[in-house]
Amino acid sequence: MKVLIVGSGGREHAIALSVAKSPKVDQIYCAPGNAGIGGLAQCVPIGAMEFDKIVAFAKEKEIDLTIVGMDDPLVGGLVDELEKAGLRAFGPRKNAAILEGSKAFSKDLMKKYHIPTAEYENFDDAEAAEAYLENARFPVVLKADGLALGKGVLICENLEEAKEGVKSIMLDKKFGSAGSRMVIEEFMTGREVSVLSFVDGKTIKTMTSAQDHKRAMDGDMGLNTGGMGTFSPSPFYTKEIDEFCMKYIYQPTVDAMAAEGREFKGVIFFGLMLTEKGPKVLEYNARFGDPEAQVVLPRMKNDMIEVIEACIDGKLDEIDLQFEDNAAVCVVLASEGYPVAYEKGYLIQGLESFEGKDGYYCFHAGTKKTEEGIVTNGGRVLGITAKGRELKEARENAYRAVQWVTFENKYMRNDIGKAIEEV
Ligand code: AMP
Ligand code: GLY
């Protein structure tokens, strides 16, 4: 079969690698893809938001399955457009992708269906938000309602900072139209865990757990980024926690969406905080995480296409989802200055070191093929993943492999997975 993947990051590279392993697949295309994905798929210069062109391309090439990796096209309704044209697509429709597309929607859903999450209020005007803050307990968390590349969240220590935050989100529109509405919520403390899951509208099967490192610098300092590295599984995510979450968070979320007439088919990513009072939802995403996918998918034993088709056909209950009994760590190699300002266009050397090395992966994010070779083309450039028998070994392997590649302004965190040493 012919598969089209929509997106251009390390996540889409990891998806492409899983798809390529399926014996059912003859040809993979990726729109727009990147230099690394180009080694597995034919990249086509169509942007992820160019819906008409994507639909036309899928029709012309008689694509059997389109996998939408990114949040923007999902929230914008690409899956609906593909289905309208009679094409098969994997990912939630627009009315379900709102689970990620609107934080106010997701908070209201959790409240209505008693799914554990932080206390909150939604606001669509700045004055009311400021008035509410006068009596709030600090620190307090401000969130722009819409998509903001994982950066629309401000943790404010005091009233002054919080008022400044409301101004930047709602009045100065720092996160664009994402900030027309906002959520103000209780600050929670605890360990964060990412749990990705496959969903077919009624059945949900969770993948192995992972933990991201969102801040730019070691010791969780610096600005929030899209994610600087991950490890999987999370040793903090115990069997008891998993059972609790299935009963009170995962299945109730899927059932709530169905009850609202917003049947969810695709991937739900649960961002959880393991608080003293039990696991609570920090956020939902309607897609694989990035860089969570880079540690989760390489450990998946199943044929990715079989799982995806079961989701689309409402037969996920027939799938026995299995993961390897090992661990993986992904260290993101970024451009110095990310997530604010950084330079692009530097030659990347050493990529061939990964060829033929079992258990080591070099996922491309911001890279581009030029006549001189593959060059840096974004903030997050590569995701270097390594497996190991357990997390410690995976971590040593990943930090060995990051030395195989060099480029000017190469920047990484040195403490990805360090938390596991505390266990
Ligand atoms: P989100 O995009 O909602 O996942 O938020 C980004 C990051 O902000 C999370 O990964 C957390 O580290 C932090 N965060 C979000 N909401 C809260 C909260 N209620 N309490 C504490 N930290 C939070
Ligand atoms: N790594 C977090 C995300 O994909 O949103």
Side-chain angles (χ1 to χ4, degrees):
M1 65 193 276
K2 293 186 201 168
V3 177
L4 168 65
I5 299 169
V6 178
S8 60
R11 164 184 49 217
E12 284 74 25
H13 193 174
I15 294 171
L17 190 63
S18 286
V19 166
K21 280 196 279 190
S22 171
K24 295 182 201 287
V25 174
D26 305 304
Q27 168 89 51
I28 310 173
Y29 297 92
C30 189
N34 61 37
I37 298 172
L40 299 163
Q42 189 181 327
C43 294
V44 288
I46 302 177
M49 293 307 284
E50 295 184 293
F51 292 4
D52 291 349
K53 287 190 190 169
I54 291 172
V55 172
F57 178 83
K59 272 178 144 166
E60 183 203 318
K61 295 286 182 196
E62 298 179 329
I63 299 292
D64 300 292
L65 171 68
T66 301
I67 302 170
V68 185
M70 289 171 74
D71 46 3
D72 284 294
L74 287 168
V75 170
L78 177 55
V79 169
D80 308 54
E81 293 305 313
L82 288 160
E83 287 182 346
K84 262 189 241 159
L87 295 156
R88 248 161 107 74
F90 179 62
R93 294 182 188 140
K94 187 175 181 172
N95 76 346
I98 191 175
L99 191 61
E100 170 167 9
S102 166
K103 291 195 193 285
F105 168 86
S106 71
K107 296 297 292 189
D108 286 346
L109 186 87
M110 287 186 266
K111 187 191 253 177
K112 182 169 171 189
Y113 292 91
H114 310 292
I115 296 166
T117 188
E119 295 291 324
Y120 76 102
E121 290 285 338
N122 295 336
F123 295 94
D124 44 27
D125 100 79
E127 253 174 61
E130 284 182 9
Y132 172 87
L133 286 170
E134 297 283 347
N135 300 311
R137 222 170 346 126
F138 291 90
V140 80
V141 184
L142 310 186
K143 297 187 178 185
D145 179 52
L147 297 180
L149 292 171
K151 294 166 201 156
V153 174
L154 303 175
I155 294 167
C156 304
E157 298 296 335
N158 54 48
L159 182 62
E160 198 182 333
E161 255 183 48
K163 282 189 167 172
E164 197 50 45
V166 170
K167 184 171 170 290
S168 71
I169 292 177
M170 297 198 89
L171 302 176
D172 304 342
K173 294 274 157 70
K174 188 170 166 199
F175 307 108
S177 59
S180 306
R181 297 175 85 190
M182 65 179 290
V183 177
I184 301 186
E185 73 175 26
E186 167 203 7
F187 177 76
M188 302 190 286
T189 50
R191 185 104 22 212
E192 283 186 44
V193 184
S194 301
V195 177
L196 316 186
S197 65
F198 289 103
V199 183
D200 75 353
K202 46 187 193 300
T203 300
I204 175 164
K205 299 243 163 151
T206 54
M207 300 176 223
T208 179
S209 61
Q211 186 179 319
D212 193 8
H213 298 65
K214 289 212 166 102
R215 302 293 198 97
M217 292 170 358
D218 284 7
D220 289 331
M221 306 297 277
L223 294 172
N224 258 330
T225 69
M228 292 299 293
T230 38
F231 59 84
S232 170
S234 164
F236 310 104
Y237 187 78
T238 60
K239 195 161 172 286
E240 291 70 35
I241 294 176
D242 183 55
E243 281 166 7
F244 176 93
C245 292
M246 185 51 89
K247 192 167 170 196
Y248 296 104
I249 295 176
Y250 307 148
Q251 191 66 53
T253 300
V254 175
D255 295 345
M257 290 298 280
E260 294 290 311
R262 297 174 182 275
E263 182 188 60
F264 194 106
K265 289 188 180 193
V267 170
I268 300 182
F269 164 156
F270 298 87
L272 303 174
M273 179 85 89
L274 308 181
T275 75
E276 271 184 357
K277 292 188 194 146
K280 294 190 181 185
V281 177
L282 275 171
E283 66 159 348
Y284 293 117
N285 293 311
R287 50 169 175 82
F288 289 100
D290 190 350
E292 282 85 346
Q294 290 93 308
V295 284
V296 168
L297 291 180
R299 299 183 54 229
M300 191 168 103
K301 289 187 185 171
N302 302 67
D303 179 327
M304 175 87 146
I305 296 295
E306 266 177 27
V307 180
I308 286 179
E309 296 212 293
C311 287
I312 297 173
D313 297 333
K315 293 182 176 165
L316 189 59
D317 59 330
E318 294 172 12
I319 298 282
D320 179 16
L321 199 60
Q322 294 220 354
F323 287 81
E324 293 170 1
D325 184 19
N326 57 11
V329 169
C330 172
V331 179
V332 169
L333 300 186
S335 304
E336 177 94 53
Y338 172 73
V340 183
Y342 48 84
E343 291 169 39
K344 304 190 221 180
Y346 294 117
L347 194 64
I348 306 172
Q349 269 156 335
L351 292 168
E352 67 289 347
S353 316
F354 286 84
E355 280 164 26
K357 289 217 178 65
D358 243 14
Y360 291 87
Y361 307 81
C362 178
F363 294 114
H364 290 227
T367 68
K368 193 167 83 175
K369 204 170 178 178
T370 66
E371 276 177 16
E372 290 78 53
I374 294 175
V375 301
T376 64
N377 192 41
R380 292 193 291 181
V381 178
L382 300 168
I384 305 298
T385 295
K387 288 185 191 170
R389 277 166 299 183
E390 25 66 44
L391 281 164
K392 189 166 174 288
E393 190 181 77
R395 182 164 189 259
E396 284 163 8
N397 291 344
Y399 274 105
R400 185 170 333 107
V402 293
Q403 296 167 20
W404 302 343
V405 259
T406 54
F407 54 88
E408 218 166 302
N409 289 0
K410 172 177 153 186
Y411 173 80
M412 66 182 170
R413 274 182 63 161
N414 295 292
D415 63 347
I416 303 301
K418 195 149 185 272
I420 53 189
E421 287 165 14
E422 296 163 21
V423 188

